[in-house]
Amino acid sequence: MEVIIKSDKAEASKLGAKIIARLIRQNNKAVLGLATGSTPLQLYKQLVRMHQEEGLSFKDVTTFNLDEYVGLESDNPCSFYSEMHNNLFCHIDMAKGATHLPDGMAENIPDSCAAYEAAIAAAGGIDLQLLGIGHDGHLAFNEPGSSLASRTRLKTLSQKTIKANSRFFGSEDKVPRHVMTMGLSTIMAARQCILLAFGMDKAEAVRDMIEGPVSASCPGSILQFHERTIVLLDPEAASKLRRKQYYLDVYASKPAWQLWD
Ligand code: PGA
């Protein structure tokens, strides 16, 4: 993992957006894996700005989101479909049908999950997967204990995640208990990953992911086996890392050709 600690969330989000923009400029048919939640919002704002001010075009880009709640219509304001539409898709020039999310209203969930995996494969696989991490170390909605070899499937949310996500729903009992999520193996198949984490409340999960043992107890730790993962942090999220100074030294000493910004 390449661990980059920026001065704040805004700078880390800018760098994440630059990496994605560079990929799209190199390959206008890039396949992006996208994430929801609070973490990527500033990065999405940067992509929208680059589209409006710098001519960054998404017209041949394809996207696959990590997850969706089961039982929420796509037009429900709490669905990840709505979140993606409002925060990114409605502001950029993506082609109709090029954005994909798991279908939380599918009648046959296992078939729908298998079709999602097949659609990713048919698109040529994911070039770059954007990720956040949960307080309990989850990646997408792969809660602790998830199979490290998992593929897209139904999962039950942990109490910790229900509590964390209740801020979007108004109360814990309104949060759906079930979700459809890409599996850890699906995420690991992406050719590159960028994981963002901000704030003190993510510091333990970040430490366990980067410096703990690889374990289903911290699903994010599977990324230690990924060949090309960049972790973008603010100083608070990085505060519990034992090798923090080393990561800072590595970034400060990078040869110019290796720098992202
Ligand atoms: P957050 O969620 O970005 O809202 O903190 C991240 C996650 O649960 O993976």
Side-chain angles (χ1 to χ4, degrees):
M1 274 189 244
E2 179 176 4
V3 181
I4 301 178
I5 306 165
K6 296 297 280 184
S7 54
D8 58 26
K9 176 174 167 171
E11 288 304 310
S13 301
K14 260 189 217 163
L15 181 53
K18 267 190 195 169
I19 297 170
I20 293 175
R22 188 190 288 192
L23 170 72
I24 295 172
R25 288 189 172 115
Q26 281 166 352
N27 171 14
N28 62 337
K29 292 187 168 53
V31 179
L32 301 180
L34 298 179
T36 47
S38 314
T39 304
L41 291 178
Q42 288 199 22
L43 184 151
Y44 291 153
K45 279 205 171 112
Q46 283 297 324
L47 290 180
V48 171
R49 187 194 58 73
M50 287 171 170
H51 170 65
Q52 291 168 346
E53 295 173 11
E54 296 171 10
L56 180 68
S57 175
F58 296 80
K59 81 179 167 48
D60 295 316
V61 167
T62 303
T63 66
F64 289 90
N65 262 79
L66 288 168
D67 41 20
E68 180 59 285
Y69 292 108
V70 168
L72 292 193
E73 298 281 357
S74 55
D75 61 357
N76 184 306
C78 291
S79 73
F80 287 158
Y81 179 94
S82 296
E83 201 175 310
M84 288 310 301
H85 180 78
N86 297 336
N87 294 319
L88 184 65
F89 299 151
C90 78
H91 304 292
I92 58 177
D93 59 341
M94 291 216 44
K96 253 204 158 73
T99 63
H100 304 81
L101 284 94
D103 177 8
M105 295 301 288
E107 266 179 35
N108 185 325
I109 288 181
D111 280 2
S112 183
C113 290
Y116 201 65
E117 288 280 336
I120 294 172
I126 291 172
D127 292 307
L128 187 153
Q129 177 67 57
L130 186 62
L131 296 162
I133 187 161
H135 300 99
D136 57 3
H138 70 221
L139 272 196
F141 273 137
N142 294 283
E143 298 286 24
S146 289
S147 160
L148 298 178
S150 49
R151 289 280 171 176
T152 304
R153 70 212 182 291
L154 181 82
K155 283 296 285 181
T156 305
L157 294 183
S158 71
Q159 211 47 50
K160 211 168 176 178
T161 303
I162 289 171
K163 191 165 191 266
N165 288 13
S166 63
R167 69 190 195 277
F168 301 111
F169 289 83
S171 73
E172 282 183 34
D173 45 296
K174 291 202 179 116
V175 182
R177 267 37 188 175
H178 292 112
V179 291
M180 283 157 78
T181 180
M182 279 188 202
L184 294 170
S185 211
T186 320
I187 293 168
M188 288 295 285
R191 287 183 267 281
Q192 181 178 11
C193 294
I194 297 182
L195 185 142
L196 308 176
F198 307 126
M200 202 58 211
D201 60 329
K202 294 287 175 76
E204 269 177 37
V206 164
R207 180 199 57 204
D208 293 350
M209 169 182 76
I210 298 172
E211 297 180 340
V214 174
S215 160
S217 295
C218 177
S221 65
I222 186 74
L223 291 172
Q224 291 178 37
F225 279 119
H226 195 278
E227 205 180 354
R228 276 184 84 203
T229 289
I230 298 174
V231 182
L232 294 174
L233 304 172
D234 66 2
E236 291 77 19
S239 61
K240 297 203 168 156
L241 290 169
R242 262 191 313 126
R243 289 188 291 272
K244 187 169 79 178
Q245 192 53 50
Y246 177 65
Y247 307 131
L248 290 165
D249 291 346
V250 169
Y251 197 65
S253 322
K254 263 183 185 292
W257 60 268
Q258 271 194 344
L259 284 171
W260 292 104
D261 53 355

